[in-house]
Amino acid sequence: MQNLPRKIALTLLMAALTGAAAPVLAAGDGGPFAREITARQSLMRLYTFNIGTLVGMAKGEIAYDADTAGTAAANLAALAALNQQGMWPEGSDSFDNDGTRALPEIWDDLAGFEAKRKGLADAAAAYAGQAGTGLDALRVGLGAVGGACGACHKAFRKPE
Amino acid sequence: MQNLPRKIALTLLMAALTGAAAPVLAAGDGGPFAREITARQSLMRLYTFNIGTLVGMAKGEIAYDADTAGTAAANLAALAALNQQGMWPEGSDSFDNDGTRALPEIWDDLAGFEAKRKGLADAAAAYAGQAGTGLDALRVGLGAVGGACGACHKAFRKPE
């Protein structure tokens, strides 16, 4: 009983953080791994947001700006370096869950999956030092980052 | 014309990165700022994912583990330190867009908004050094982080 006020306070805190915790936590497909699937899809969307800026510059659709390019690449590197603990629980695959394209092969080859994750983290870290140095460097480095994305998707993501 | 092959290559790259770029980029409410609104909501969901682990430990629903706690807090600090360039274009507020609770007050007081953002970044950075040092420290520090979240929500987020 003596923990009750603390528990109420923390429940209120969680609600304050999220507005209403449940809808945010239960986004995704609403299944047992909705929280984890939402988190990893959110991470992918933040990758995409920053890569979209860089691709836009590479294609000439957005004017090249060294600060903006460098910041997008630094954000990408920071995101790719996040520890993804808790995001990939066994059972949260595309075979058993709607709303995810994470193939069961991930859990059959966790070392291979980790190697691909590290491949992106390393490519993004290198790119963070390149994208702000000029448009040619931005374009060249994007190939390595895109290769790292694609290597993981090819092996571990269900085609649409 | 000579840029065409490059543009095609980059379009294919973007598709490879995202599976099919359009659905990811056009998530959110589908309006003119869907890309930006999706990005900032993705960031909030990653905050929530990590805070959820910490709140779970604080409430005793998840067993305290120093490594897990420290990693969640470090992730939160890294996320809060991201440069949010491009995520808050003028006009992407709750008055003019469905699917966002970002009040127009943000753009009336950008300095105040930035101060709240920095408040969370600072609180999360401090917390990253505390959460892994024990359950009491995890609980105490959570109050400061929650206060920083709530301060911004109270001023700049539309109530549900």
Side-chain angles (χ1 to χ4, degrees):
Chain A
M1 281 299 283
Q2 80 185 86
N3 277 331
L4 206 57
R6 170 178 281 155
K7 287 197 177 187
I8 292 169
L10 287 165
T11 300
L12 291 172
L13 168 63
M14 195 65 196
L17 298 182
T18 60
V24 172
L25 295 176
D29 70 348
F33 298 108
R35 179 172 175 269
E36 292 83 0
I37 291 169
T38 295
R40 59 206 199 200
Q41 291 180 347
S42 296
L43 181 57
M44 296 293 154
R45 284 174 181 164
L46 287 172
Y47 290 165
T48 302
F49 181 76
N50 287 287
I51 291 171
T53 299
L54 296 157
V55 168
M57 288 186 188
K59 292 172 80 172
E61 295 171 358
I62 302 172
Y64 180 75
D65 176 79
D67 279 350
T68 303
T71 298
N75 280 344
L76 183 66
L79 289 162
L82 288 176
N83 186 317
Q84 296 181 28
Q85 75 172 8
M87 283 193 191
W88 303 92
E90 188 145 9
S92 64
D93 57 75
S94 62
F95 189 78
D96 285 326
N97 302 268
D98 291 331
T100 178
R101 293 162 65 200
L103 287 171
E105 280 76 356
I106 291 171
W107 291 269
D108 295 336
D109 181 17
L110 284 172
F113 184 61
E114 166 58 17
K116 303 290 193 206
R117 187 209 61 75
K118 187 170 184 307
L120 176 62
D122 291 348
Y127 191 46
Q130 298 166 353
T133 64
L135 183 54
D136 283 344
L138 177 147
R139 286 175 168 151
V140 169
L142 204 49
V145 170
C149 294
C152 194
H153 290 169
K154 187 175 176 185
F156 295 118
R157 190 175 66 165
K158 190 179 169 181
E160 287 195 292
Chain B
M1 283 299 283
Q2 78 185 91
N3 277 330
L4 206 57
R6 170 179 280 155
K7 287 197 178 188
I8 292 170
L10 288 164
T11 300
L12 291 173
L13 168 64
M14 195 66 196
L17 299 181
T18 59
V24 171
L25 294 176
D29 70 347
F33 298 108
R35 180 172 174 268
E36 293 82 2
I37 291 170
T38 295
R40 56 206 201 202
Q41 291 180 347
S42 296
L43 180 57
M44 296 293 153
R45 283 175 180 162
L46 287 172
Y47 290 165
T48 302
F49 181 75
N50 287 287
I51 291 170
T53 300
L54 296 157
V55 169
M57 287 185 188
K59 293 171 79 172
E61 295 172 356
I62 301 172
Y64 179 77
D65 176 80
D67 280 350
T68 304
T71 298
N75 279 345
L76 184 66
L79 289 162
L82 287 176
N83 187 317
Q84 297 180 28
Q85 76 173 6
M87 282 193 192
W88 304 93
E90 189 145 10
S92 64
D93 57 76
S94 62
F95 189 79
D96 285 326
N97 301 268
D98 291 331
T100 177
R101 293 161 65 200
L103 287 170
E105 279 78 354
I106 290 170
W107 291 270
D108 295 337
D109 181 17
L110 284 173
F113 183 60
E114 166 60 16
K116 303 291 193 205
R117 187 209 61 76
K118 187 171 183 307
L120 176 63
D122 291 348
Y127 191 46
Q130 298 165 354
T133 64
L135 183 53
D136 283 344
L138 177 147
R139 285 174 169 151
V140 169
L142 204 49
V145 170
C149 294
C152 195
H153 291 168
K154 187 175 176 184
F156 295 118
R157 190 175 65 165
K158 190 178 170 183
E160 286 194 292

